[in-house]
Amino acid sequence: MEFLFLATTHTTSNRSIKVKVKWHPPPQNWYKINIDGAFTEENLHGGISGFIRTNRGKWMLGYYKKCECITPIHAELLAFRQALETIMQGNFIPCEIETDATEVIRFMDEDYPTYNSLLNECRYFMAKLMEIGEIRLKHNFREGNKVAHQLAKEALLYPSYNITSYFAEPPNFALNVYSADKDGGRLTAVLYLRCCPFLQVGT
């Protein structure tokens, strides 16, 4: 379904389907970093976040940062760039990068004048990382990205800008959502139901 949404032409109908959403573990011996960006329009504040887990759901590193940004997608792209830098600094390779913003994935293949400088930075980091090992950029729905979302919202409350706070363990404010989905590959994992428009694929 994700592939059809991103890669094909389609129209929506009045029908909808229910999708089971959860955090999905990466392949064995891989890392996964879930990222998110939050935005408040009234003061142009952004909160960006990410956290890295193993394929068994073990917390490796988390972080958040408050920054200035102009739109929600700007915050999402800043979160993506921060993720690439974090992967490089910590050598978390091979790695899946998971975002709930489909625009991040689409803009990496397109020119978008407002954010071209930022996109080119992301492409540069992505290319450098791919020289070392495999990197995959993937989408998941918000319900499967709850911990990163919680971290990004908390970043908006931080008093200072452009200071990255790191967490060696899950912070208390995100502990419940982390515990709920950390065993994403097991039958006991928490599943969320999401109603999505039925896609009619064009030819």
Side-chain angles (χ1 to χ4, degrees):
M1 177 177 159
E2 178 186 336
F3 173 80
L4 292 176
F5 180 81
L6 294 173
T8 63
T9 58
H10 56 269
T11 58
T12 58
S13 70
N14 293 328
R15 298 161 56 192
S16 64
I17 58 175
K18 289 186 177 180
V19 179
K20 292 181 179 179
V21 182
K22 65 177 182 178
W23 178 79
H24 296 279
Q28 189 172 3
N29 299 321
W30 279 59
Y31 298 99
K32 170 169 280 190
I33 180 168
N34 286 79
I35 64 173
D36 199 20
F39 176 72
T40 56
E41 186 175 6
E42 62 271 17
N43 46 25
L44 300 181
H45 288 176
I48 65 175
S49 70
F51 76 109
I52 299 171
R53 284 184 277 195
T54 67
N55 76 305
R56 293 182 176 272
K58 179 183 177 182
W59 181 286
M60 299 297 292
L61 180 70
Y63 60 86
Y64 67 50
K65 179 168 67 176
K66 185 178 182 179
C67 53
E68 295 177 310
C69 57
I70 56 174
T71 63
I73 185 56
H74 188 200
E76 300 285 359
L77 289 171
L78 289 172
F80 180 44
R81 183 183 65 183
Q82 181 73 35
L84 293 170
E85 293 176 348
T86 302
I87 293 168
M88 184 174 291
Q89 291 167 1
N91 196 31
F92 295 108
I93 300 172
C95 189
E96 289 184 347
I97 305 172
E98 196 163 81
T99 173
D100 58 32
T102 56
E103 295 92 343
V104 170
I105 300 172
R106 190 174 76 249
F107 286 1
M108 283 295 287
D109 295 322
E110 300 176 0
D111 287 327
Y112 198 89
T114 304
Y115 308 114
N116 266 356
S117 177
L118 179 55
L119 286 167
N120 286 335
E121 287 185 55
C122 293
R123 291 172 185 136
Y124 170 80
F125 284 124
M126 194 82 165
K128 297 297 290 185
L129 287 169
M130 289 292 286
E131 293 175 2
I132 305 171
E134 193 169 354
I135 302 293
R136 298 174 184 168
L137 178 58
K138 302 181 65 176
H139 171 264
N140 198 354
F141 293 109
R142 171 66 55 81
E143 292 85 350
N145 201 37
K146 281 179 169 286
V147 180
H149 179 64
Q150 190 69 40
L151 286 167
K153 286 173 55 180
E154 195 71 19
L156 292 172
L157 305 177
Y158 197 75
S160 302
Y161 290 94
N162 300 321
I163 298 176
T164 306
S165 298
Y166 292 95
F167 303 93
E169 297 180 351
N172 289 335
F173 61 80
L175 190 57
N176 287 340
V177 287
Y178 168 68
S179 299
D181 72 5
K182 70 177 181 178
D183 295 326
R186 302 182 183 179
L187 294 177
T188 55
V190 174
L191 293 173
Y192 303 93
L193 287 178
R194 182 184 182 96
C195 290
C196 300
F198 180 78
L199 301 182
Q200 295 179 324
V201 180
T203 57

